[in-house]
Every structure is written in structure tokens, then in C-alpha cells.
Amino acid sequence: MSNITYKYIKQNSDIKTYINHADKALAAMGYTEHCGPHAAITAEAAYDILQTLGYPERECELAQIAGYMHDIGNCINRANHAQTGALMALNLLKSLDMPSEEIAVIISAIGNHDEHTANPVNAIAAAVILADKMDVRRSRVRGGINDIHDRVNYACVQSRYYFSEDKTELFLDLIIDKEISSIMEYFEIFLQRMSLCRRSAETLGINFRLVMNNSKII
């Protein structure tokens, strides 16, 4: 185990720079927010998911680190950003003398978070996938509503996740303003992501449930 903590990673100026430049690149292409708030929300949710399920504290923190760094590859290009981000994380974490065993699971999670190439190959990857894909919220929209992704996120007036009392089910509970976007539009862009969430939950030995406007969808 190393002494490289999530707090240290979050304060690291180099990592901050890459995250901010990744977000600027995505903003130029018209994508929703992927900078500090999304990174932090993904990190905290990944940690919380594993902690709730009783995983060791260090494993929870490694998921937190992977969640925070998962989108840095966007500063190179949106295409294959998961894989380039994993390589960037490898170099950054090696320079901090983090043990290879810890680096391996972090870069595996980063390299497997994009729904086009993702696989929940381990618990940390599964937690990062769930945390990333569950971050649907109005505040991710920049300025005006330019496309279906903006419209669906802007229509989400309430978003929360929670576990069932026995911790066998993870719920993503959304309230969608249907005057802005239909539920069908949500599935038009997020069906693949929800399928990935289901597989990721299964990797953790639980079931993924989606609730929209107080109705269970999945």
C-alpha cells in the first residue's frame, strides 16, 4: 500500500491541469461538463458504492482515485479517451511512486469506463462505471440546449442513487421534466449505459434498478 491518497491526487496540480484541459476540449466540441464537479461526483460515488458493499478501505480509495482521473484522456482526443487516459494515469502515478499493483487496478478502471469499449473487469472498474454513468443532472449542461444530450441532462430535475435496505439492489432514481425531454429520449442515448450499469452491478453481486418519475423502469 502506498501513501498516495485521494486527497493528494485531488490537490495535485498536474492532474488538475489535465482534467481542466480535457474539459475545455470537450466544451469546444459542445459536450456537457466533464471537469471538477463530474470528476469529484464520480470519485465520491465510486468510493461510496464499494464502502457500502463492505470492500476494504484502500480498495474504496483506489476507486475514488480512478473515478477522479477517469476523463483525463479527453485532453488528447475524445476518441479512445478511456485508453489514452489510462496511459496518462500510468505515467502520472508511476512518477508518484505508487505501487504497480495499485496502478494496475486504477488504469484498468479508467481504460474500461467508456460504454463503447467498457467492461467491468474488477470491482473498482464496476464502481467507476456505475458512478460515471449515474451522473445525470441539469448542471452539466453548458449554456443553451444544443442537442439531445443537453436536453436529456437539462430535463433531469432530480437525480439520486441509493441502495436497498439489504444492499442487494442499487437504484438510480431520476425525475425527468417531460416538457423538456421524453423518457424515450433518455433511453435513446443512455440505453447502452444502463445496460453497462446492469453488468457492472452484477460484477459487484448486486442488481441495478432504474426509477424514473417514480416508476420502476429496470
Side-chain angles (χ1 to χ4, degrees):
M1 182 185 297
S2 73
N3 59 356
I4 304 300
T5 64
Y6 170 63
K7 181 179 180 181
Y8 176 83
I9 291 294
K10 197 173 181 181
Q11 293 174 345
N12 183 280
S13 59
D14 290 336
I15 293 172
K16 280 184 181 179
T17 297
Y18 292 129
I19 290 173
N20 288 335
H21 276 269
D23 188 56
K24 288 178 182 177
L26 292 177
M29 292 185 283
Y31 281 85
T32 54
E33 176 266 314
H34 281 71
C35 63
H38 176 62
I41 286 170
T42 303
E44 297 300 336
Y47 176 93
D48 180 58
I49 289 167
L50 293 191
Q51 185 186 56
T52 300
L53 295 175
Y55 282 79
E57 175 62 25
R58 184 55 178 170
E59 198 162 350
C60 298
E61 188 168 38
L62 294 179
Q64 197 173 25
I65 292 170
Y68 186 71
M69 298 179 69
H70 77 281
D71 269 337
I72 59 173
N74 283 299
C75 72
I76 295 177
N77 198 293
R78 179 63 178 173
N80 302 314
H81 75 281
Q83 289 75 32
T84 53
L87 292 174
M88 290 175 66
L90 169 65
N91 290 328
L92 287 163
L93 297 176
K94 278 177 69 75
S95 73
L96 299 175
D97 292 324
M98 179 178 272
S100 296
E101 191 65 33
E102 294 190 343
I103 294 175
V105 293
I106 290 172
I107 62 175
S108 182
I110 294 172
N112 274 286
H113 83 270
D114 183 70
E115 61 267 21
H116 300 294
T117 56
N119 278 291
V121 294
N122 54 46
I124 289 173
V128 170
I129 288 168
L130 286 163
D132 178 36
K133 307 314 174 194
M134 292 193 301
D135 185 21
V136 184
R137 53 189 160 85
R138 173 170 287 189
S139 56
R140 293 194 70 179
V141 178
R142 310 175 196 264
I145 299 175
N146 299 307
D147 63 11
I148 186 173
H149 293 84
D150 287 340
R151 191 161 57 251
V152 168
N153 276 279
Y154 193 77
C156 184
V157 296
Q158 180 178 304
S159 173
R160 64 187 182 117
Y161 74 87
Y162 55 88
F163 281 88
S164 60
E165 189 173 343
D166 61 2
K167 300 178 185 178
T168 62
E169 295 181 309
L170 174 62
F171 291 84
L172 174 59
D173 192 342
L174 306 176
I175 300 296
I176 302 292
D177 184 342
K178 291 190 290 185
E179 295 295 318
I180 298 172
S181 176
S182 68
I183 290 176
M184 184 59 71
E185 276 196 320
Y186 177 90
F187 281 101
E188 189 176 330
I189 62 171
F190 285 139
L191 181 60
Q192 189 175 10
R193 300 180 194 184
M194 295 300 96
S195 177
L196 182 58
C197 284
R198 178 182 55 78
R199 289 167 47 214
S200 298
E202 289 172 354
T203 296
L204 298 174
I206 60 176
N207 293 309
F208 176 76
R209 307 298 186 199
L210 176 64
V211 177
M212 298 182 74
N213 292 6
N214 301 312
S215 296
K216 186 181 287 188
I217 306 298
I218 298 175

